[in-house]
Amino acid sequence: GKSMLGYNVINGEIFIEENGAEIVKKIFTLYLKEDMSTYSVAEYLNKNNVKTNNGNKWSATAVLRILKNEKYCGDLLQKKTYTPNYLTHEKRLNKGEEDIVLIKNHHKPIISRKIFNAVRNKLKTKNKHGF
């Protein structure tokens, strides 16, 4: 994989990047404990000049992606996408075409599993279409 907010990938190993990890923790805290919406969390981060991993402004979608990403509790989910044609290298979202592989406790977590699951449950109850 590639580096992401809170983690650096070096030679295939995932290491916590402290500055990004603090932002990730803040996002989970604002959403879960301060009961802020993803939109409000994005507004808060932008007002406080916190940049995304790419240096962009925050959006509700970017916040939601972080809240839903299993890597933050130390798990690794592989085969989220697949390549049906190796000649074109076009990737597609894996909706059961191939087996998805979940490796629990793969790397050091930034967020505890308890907090991650609480956020997941909150997201399920807030979204009428499910998680």
Side-chain angles (χ1 to χ4, degrees), residues 23-35:
I23 296 168
V24 169
K25 289 176 188 175
K26 187 69 173 176
I27 289 169
F28 275 82
T29 298
L30 292 172
Y31 182 77
L32 188 62
K33 295 186 178 163
E34 301 296 324
D35 201 28

Side-chain angles (χ1 to χ4, degrees), residues 27-46:
I27 289 169
F28 275 82
T29 298
L30 292 172
Y31 182 77
L32 188 62
K33 295 186 178 163
E34 301 296 324
D35 201 28
M36 293 173 74
S37 68
T38 55
Y39 178 82
S40 297
V41 171
E43 274 190 332
Y44 172 90
L45 295 170
N46 289 327

Side-chain angles (χ1 to χ4, degrees), residues 11-77:
N11 296 327
E13 288 191 56
I14 301 174
F15 299 94
I16 290 180
E17 186 280 306
E18 290 300 329
N19 292 331
E22 289 305 314
I23 296 168
V24 169
K25 289 176 188 175
K26 187 69 173 176
I27 289 169
F28 275 82
T29 298
L30 292 172
Y31 182 77
L32 188 62
K33 295 186 178 163
E34 301 296 324
D35 201 28
M36 293 173 74
S37 68
T38 55
Y39 178 82
S40 297
V41 171
E43 274 190 332
Y44 172 90
L45 295 170
N46 289 327
K47 283 181 185 173
N48 288 283
N49 297 314
V50 177
K51 299 294 183 195
T52 65
N53 207 32
N54 301 338
N56 299 324
K57 288 193 170 217
W58 287 93
S59 67
T61 302
V63 170
L64 184 60
R65 283 189 187 125
I66 286 174
L67 294 172
K68 291 171 79 173
N69 195 325
E70 76 289 337
K71 287 181 187 73
Y72 291 117
C73 72
D75 295 346
L76 182 64
L77 190 61

Side-chain angles (χ1 to χ4, degrees), residues 1-2 77-95 97-98:
K2 60 183 178 177
L77 190 61
Q78 296 181 313
K79 298 260 197 171
K80 289 181 188 178
T81 62
Y82 72 103
T83 307
N85 183 337
Y86 69 92
L87 295 174
T88 64
H89 301 285
E90 175 189 357
K91 290 186 185 274
R92 292 195 180 155
L93 191 60
N94 185 0
K95 297 180 182 176
E97 292 85 358
E98 295 188 10

